[in-house]
């Protein structure tokens, strides 16, 4: 496991973390059985992961990421950083509702979202909460009012740090004028690099950038000819090269690859020890 660390505000974390969404099969798709899910979470922490990404709404058919995290890991180690998110959705099944019934971005909805995360995770204060914007019929919603609500909840002691998710560069700048933003969580990987300018802005501002779908999200594998070549050079897998490429992309990138497989978990964490050479990086382009 890499001993490299990054920061979420004043919280130091290993650069390779873990994303819990895939443990639930939310919003659709396969998921591991409960025993495997608990084993994956415990093994992640054993291997040095101390940054787990989750949400109260990662829940389907009674299988909830926060409940699994609590069952596997509570009482939590002092250095474990749980990062959750709130947005248009509060509960998993909300995704089935028409957009006008997604009330999670209102002041009351944000409070319900934070309180639901506190209860399901069994904590008094959220380490980091990402404000998730940008879709589900709320694409034009301003980030300002929800951030002001989160700042009030922070003043009440329910939140330690605030991040933003699914936002562009203008919203990043606006968000930073309203709240001390510690991280951005957007879609980015070696095959999808639209966020390059935002990553550069985060680097300059000392804000962590946490890409979701770092290995393609299981939908669109980040396979490419050059990734395979580089993987063969290192005796690594394509997924490991995709993760190592992200670590090389910027020192403020933190990873949260998701998996319901113990073998993939170990592979992903080992990617933290894979250093790509300048030749590798030039080949990948
Ligand atoms: N802010 C947002 O809007 C947002 C959106 C989506 C996700 N997220 C967060 O980001 C985290 C990461 O995203 P993600 O989990 O959806 O996508 P991902 O990490 O890019 O990919 C996960 C998929 O890749 C497979 N996989 C994992 N490791 C592998 C390996 N070593 N080799 C081959 N396949 C592998 C997994 O299947 P197996 O289970 O079979 O390994 C799973 O299907 C999520 O868990 C969630 O916490 C945030």
């Amino acid at each position: 496991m890499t001993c490299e660390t990054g920061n979420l505000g004043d919280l130091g974390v290993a650069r390779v973390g873990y994303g819990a969404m895939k443990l639930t099969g939310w919003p659709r798709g396969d998921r591991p059985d409960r025993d495997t899910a608990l084993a994956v979470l415990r093994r992640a922490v054993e291997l040095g992961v101390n940054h787990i990404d989750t949400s109260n709404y990662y829940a389907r058919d009674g299988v909830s990421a926060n409940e699994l995290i609590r069952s596997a890991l509570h009482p939590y180690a002092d250095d474990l950083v749980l990062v959750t998110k709130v947005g248009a959705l509060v509960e998993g099944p909300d995704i089935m509702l028409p957009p006008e019934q997604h009330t999670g971005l209102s002041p009351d909805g944000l409070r319900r979202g934070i309180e639901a995360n506190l209860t399901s995770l069994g904590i008094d204060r959220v380490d980091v909460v990402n404000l998730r914007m940008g879709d589900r019929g709320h694409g034009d919603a301003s980030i300002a009012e929800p951030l002001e609500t989160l700042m009030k909840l922070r003043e009440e002691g329910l939140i330690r740090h605030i991040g933003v998710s699914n936002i562009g560069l203008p919203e990043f700048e606006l968000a930073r004028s309203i709240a001390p933003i510690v991280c951005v969580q957007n879609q980015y990987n070696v095959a999808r690099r639209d966020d390059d300018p935002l990553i550069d802005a985060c680097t300059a501002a000392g804000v962590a950038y946490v890409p979701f779908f770092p290995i393609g999200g299981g939908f669109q594998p980040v396979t490419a000819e050059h990734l395979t070549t580089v993987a063969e050079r290192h005796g690594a897998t394509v997924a490991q090269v995709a993760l190592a490429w992200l670590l090389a992309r910027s020192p403020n990138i933190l990873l949260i690859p998701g998996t319901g497989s113990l073998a993939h978990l170990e592979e992903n964490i080992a990617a933290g020890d894979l250093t790509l050479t300048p030749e590798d990086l030039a080949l990948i382009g």
Side-chain angles (χ1 to χ4, degrees):
M1 167 79 190
T2 178
C3 47
E4 269 199 77
T5 57
N7 292 299
L8 290 163
D10 63 347
L11 302 168
V13 290
R15 289 189 74 198
V16 183
Y18 176 74
M21 187 177 84
K22 295 289 182 194
L23 294 180
T24 65
W26 183 90
R28 67 193 78 82
D30 298 337
R31 62 181 164 225
D33 61 46
R34 179 175 177 81
D35 286 347
T36 305
L38 296 176
V40 165
L41 286 162
R42 291 182 180 128
R43 186 74 179 132
V45 169
E46 267 171 27
L47 291 174
V49 165
N50 62 357
H51 168 199
I52 298 180
D53 185 80
T54 186
S55 180
N56 188 69
Y57 65 77
Y58 290 168
R60 200 189 90 201
D61 302 332
V63 178
S64 143
N66 285 0
E67 187 279 324
L68 289 167
I69 290 167
R70 185 177 183 168
S71 293
L73 302 174
H74 195 278
Y76 303 117
D78 289 345
D79 70 342
L80 181 65
V81 177
L82 296 174
V83 178
T84 191
K85 64 187 69 65
V86 291
L89 309 180
V90 178
E91 309 287 344
D94 291 355
I95 197 168
M96 308 301 288
L97 298 172
E100 61 275 16
Q101 291 180 37
H102 294 160
T103 56
L105 284 172
S106 66
D108 174 62
L110 289 165
R111 179 178 289 278
R112 280 187 289 119
I114 293 294
E115 287 176 348
N117 277 286
L118 293 175
T119 303
S120 51
L121 287 167
I123 52 179
D124 297 327
R125 180 174 65 161
V126 172
D127 292 326
V128 183
V129 63
N130 281 311
L131 174 64
R132 187 187 195 284
M133 300 298 297
D135 66 0
R136 305 191 197 294
H138 300 271
D140 298 331
S142 168
I143 199 167
E145 189 183 317
L147 269 182
E148 282 156 11
T149 300
L150 290 186
M151 284 298 284
K152 286 193 190 121
L153 296 173
R154 185 172 183 252
E155 280 156 26
E156 288 180 32
L158 304 185
I159 295 170
R160 182 163 180 158
H161 290 306
I162 296 173
V164 283
S165 178
N166 291 283
I167 52 116
L169 195 47
E171 288 110 326
F172 175 64
E173 299 302 351
L174 175 60
R176 291 186 67 226
S177 72
I178 298 168
I181 300 299
V182 303
C183 55
V184 171
Q185 188 175 115
N186 274 8
Q187 184 173 171
Y188 183 83
N189 58 49
V190 65
R192 177 156 181 176
R193 304 189 196 178
D194 313 7
D195 253 0
D196 275 331
L198 182 50
I199 291 177
D200 293 340
C202 287
T203 311
V207 170
Y209 183 93
V210 186
F212 70 79
F213 298 165
I215 47 177
F219 308 111
Q220 50 209 66
V222 287
T223 49
E225 185 188 348
H226 299 311
L227 290 186
T228 307
T229 307
V230 172
E232 283 168 0
R233 279 182 190 168
H234 290 273
T237 66
V238 164
Q240 286 178 311
V241 174
L243 294 172
W245 182 87
L246 284 167
L247 292 175
R249 168 64 182 81
S250 173
N252 62 318
I253 286 188
L254 302 175
L255 302 182
I256 50 164
T259 181
S261 146
L262 280 164
H264 284 165
L265 174 79
E266 300 203 0
E267 194 178 309
N268 297 344
I269 293 173
D273 291 324
L274 175 60
T275 304
L276 302 183
T277 65
E279 293 75 25
D280 297 331
L281 295 171
L283 184 63
I284 292 169

